[in-house]
Amino acid sequence: MRLSLLLLLILGARCGGPDGNPPHEALGRELGAELQGGRPTEATAAPPRFAPGEQVESVVSPGGLFRLHFSRSGANAVPVADADGNGVPDSVDTVARTYDAVAVFYSGMGYRLPPGDSGGTGEHGGDERFDVYLVDFAGRADGAFRVEGCLTADLGCSGYMLQENDFAGYGYPSYEHAVATLASHEFFHAVQAAYRTGLGRVAEEGTAVWASEQFEPELDDLERVSPAYLSQADRSLVVDPDGPAQSFSYGASLFFQFLSERLGEGVVLSMWEESVHAPSARWPALLETVLRRDWGMDFDTAFREFAQWNLATGARAREGSGYARGADYSGLVLAARDLPVDEPSVRVAAASTRYFEVPGGTESVSASFDPREGTESAAIHLLVAAVNEHEVLRVVRADGPGILSAQVSARDATHVVVAMVNGRPEGDGRYGRLRISSMTPHEEPSGGCQTAPGALPWALLLTATVWRRSPRRRTT
């Protein structure tokens, strides 16, 4: 296996999230310097690493899949209590059992496990087992998976794990919780690399958070990062963020959770499998392929439904509609407007949604979106939802192309949410004129299909009539 590639797949920050945990290790080093440095058992390795002369021990996990490297003294020392008297610190036993459980769980979902490393001695861990190094990140991160070599340029890659040695001062509720969160998230990056690297931060971080949620929903990792998406749903899901916005990649896990609940968890597996057959394709194109082939829908349809599910999050979640755990998500951040609204140039980026909120309590509220002349608008959708503080009462939808118009009854609503959805998986944003106004009782609805969420999934909403003026489990 050639060692011409070294990448960090655990990227970006959790940016001061509610749990107070520090970011994962971020990019910013020269990859060549990392390659020359070697593994953390070598004195030339970049930090975090074991100190020269530090006594490093290793044990094999009970399932035989992993080799864990640790020390009992110095800056990298693990908690050394050994209540069961087996000669191995209980903290290391916890890590070993957890990684075994994670690997068995992902294998049971149908994912391929990472290939073995090159074996041998010294820097390669002593055998072909997957190596986990427990080292001190000094509070700046909590773990990182590093790709060390690939069968081809980006396919069939293997590597090793760095994980915080003791989580002292971190925001996790317990050592066990921290280990389960890191192991399930980080090891899924190793699973991803066994298929293909380079799919981008949204696909890599989004599906890694999603995978942790499948492994053990009680970890609440997806719940903690949901604000990173729901507070900025107007960002394009198909453009990787940079800088301070990198937390958006973690929040994008909500989209993959939607796909999993709507279509089954196999849709994410199919996307990763397709990445091997189409090694140059971007993740939205991979998803489009598997959605059309295996589920009879396209990216646009899936994203439009995703935008509607997001209405019923936080305080407006209701059992039987949308996400199973929608009440645990943060809820959408909406742009408040006073009636009437007339905004001549509203931009909706590809794979994004613009959410506006206006007062309810009137007989009805109508909205229209007039795409800029010459704009292709087939994948543009208008949602108009009557809501109160506790639920989504009803939703009317209108689909492009052409001018979109919809009206919703709003007498029993405290507010009306108007959403402009662009379901295109690529390309530039779409511009148009947005108008929102309250209607008097004698005026006729201008179109749309009105539905209360009820017990039926919102995915079963009938297509709206469009008015146009122109053509769980955890394995232990």
Side-chain angles (χ1 to χ4, degrees), residues 48 67 88 112 151 160 214 274 296 304 339 434 451 461 469 472:
R67 181 172 289 277
V88 178
R112 63 175 69 174
L151 296 176
Y160 57 91
Q214 312 316 299
E274 185 64 22
R304 182 197 70 209
L339 291 170
L434 176 66
T451 305
L461 282 175
R469 279 185 269 174
R472 172 60 22 198

Side-chain angles (χ1 to χ4, degrees), residues 19 47 57 61 74 187 242 258 261 279 335 342 360 462:
D19 58 0
E57 304 175 46
S61 65
F187 189 69
D242 294 318
F258 157 76
E261 293 192 37
D342 187 354
L462 297 175

Side-chain angles (χ1 to χ4, degrees), residues 154-155 196-200 203-204 271-290 426:
D154 296 309
L155 303 176
R196 173 183 156 187
T197 64
L199 273 190
E204 290 166 355
M271 185 186 77
W272 281 103
E273 290 178 333
E274 185 64 22
S275 72
V276 177
H277 302 299
S280 62
R282 299 178 66 246
W283 75 264
L286 299 172
L287 183 58
E288 174 91 356
T289 296
V290 301
E426 60 183 356

Side-chain angles (χ1 to χ4, degrees), residues 376-423:
E376 195 284 314
S377 58
I380 298 295
H381 312 277
L382 173 66
L383 305 177
V384 185
V387 304
N388 60 31
E389 298 302 321
H390 306 293
E391 63 181 322
V392 179
L393 301 170
R394 64 194 68 87
V395 182
V396 178
R397 191 187 83 229
D399 303 319
I403 296 174
L404 308 182
S405 180
Q407 180 174 293
V408 69
S409 300
R411 182 180 293 275
D412 57 346
T414 59
H415 294 86
V416 171
V417 177
V418 175
M420 292 307 310
V421 185
N422 183 346

Side-chain angles (χ1 to χ4, degrees), residues 221-246:
D221 208 31
L222 189 149
E223 288 76 9
R224 282 195 297 270
V225 300
S226 65
Y229 181 83
L230 293 172
S231 66
Q232 46 188 339
D234 57 337
R235 291 188 63 93
S236 174
L237 191 69
V238 297
V239 177
D240 281 345
D242 294 318
Q246 290 178 1

Side-chain angles (χ1 to χ4, degrees), residues 141-309:
D142 48 17
F145 168 67
R146 293 182 177 174
V147 171
E148 190 173 48
C150 301
L151 296 176
T152 62
D154 296 309
L155 303 176
C157 301
S158 65
Y160 57 91
M161 196 75 69
L162 303 179
Q163 182 168 303
E164 168 63 24
N165 61 320
D166 59 11
F167 294 99
Y170 286 66
Y172 295 101
S174 68
Y175 181 83
E176 292 75 14
H177 189 283
V179 170
T181 301
L182 263 293
S184 57
H185 183 111
E186 303 281 357
F187 189 69
F188 198 74
H189 282 302
V191 169
Q192 295 167 350
Y195 291 92
R196 173 183 156 187
T197 64
L199 273 190
R201 295 179 57 83
V202 165
E204 290 166 355
E205 298 300 346
T207 61
V209 174
W210 167 84
S212 292
E213 182 78 2
Q214 312 316 299
F215 173 67
E216 189 170 321
E218 291 74 18
L219 293 174
D220 289 338
D221 208 31
L222 189 149
E223 288 76 9
R224 282 195 297 270
V225 300
S226 65
Y229 181 83
L230 293 172
S231 66
Q232 46 188 339
D234 57 337
R235 291 188 63 93
S236 174
L237 191 69
V238 297
V239 177
D240 281 345
D242 294 318
Q246 290 178 1
S247 61
F248 180 82
S249 301
Y250 292 84
S253 56
L254 197 61
F255 179 63
F256 299 101
Q257 181 67 21
F258 157 76
L259 292 173
S260 178
E261 293 192 37
R262 171 69 174 85
L263 303 173
E265 62 189 22
V267 66
V268 179
L269 172 61
S270 294
M271 185 186 77
W272 281 103
E273 290 178 333
E274 185 64 22
S275 72
V276 177
H277 302 299
S280 62
R282 299 178 66 246
W283 75 264
L286 299 172
L287 183 58
E288 174 91 356
T289 296
V290 301
L291 287 175
R292 287 182 178 274
R293 183 188 66 209
D294 301 330
W295 281 275
M297 66 164 51
D298 56 14
F299 186 98
D300 172 38
T301 302
F303 191 84
R304 182 197 70 209
E305 293 184 12
F306 170 62
Q308 186 162 328
W309 276 42

